[in-house]
Amino acid sequence: MDTLLIFEAGMRSPEGHYSKFIESPYRKKVEDYLETMKKCKPDDFVLVLYEKMYHCVSTTPHIIRTK
């Protein structure tokens, strides 16, 4: 597998602060959670759904040294 798709949902406040509350590789699971959150979120907050795609760039292990 060289591509990974993750769905994330959260809530953004009127001031612009974002709070994540669920993350899953299954879009349906996240969308179902959003439906529940629609009923209990404050009116001035916005629900957000992100679709994140990750690609494998290298499978070669790298040693990172810190001083």
Side-chain angles (χ1 to χ4, degrees):
M1 174 164 58
D2 60 351
T3 301
L4 176 64
L5 194 59
I6 299 289
F7 299 94
E8 176 185 311
M11 195 168 6
R12 189 172 312 282
S13 72
E15 295 82 27
H17 298 103
Y18 174 74
S19 179
K20 175 175 74 170
F21 47 72
I22 188 170
E23 189 175 67
S24 173
Y26 306 106
R27 184 181 186 113
K28 175 101 172 89
K29 181 176 180 181
V30 175
E31 288 176 341
D32 289 346
Y33 198 90
L34 280 173
E35 286 301 315
T36 302
M37 290 304 294
K38 283 180 185 178
K39 299 171 188 167
C40 61
K41 75 169 185 66
D43 290 335
D44 53 348
F45 280 58
V46 177
L47 293 175
V48 180
L49 173 65
Y50 286 112
E51 182 178 303
K52 298 178 178 182
M53 185 178 293
Y54 297 93
H55 296 283
C56 179
V57 176
S58 173
T59 57
T60 305
H62 297 278
I63 299 173
I64 300 173
R65 295 184 183 170
T66 59
K67 292 182 180 186

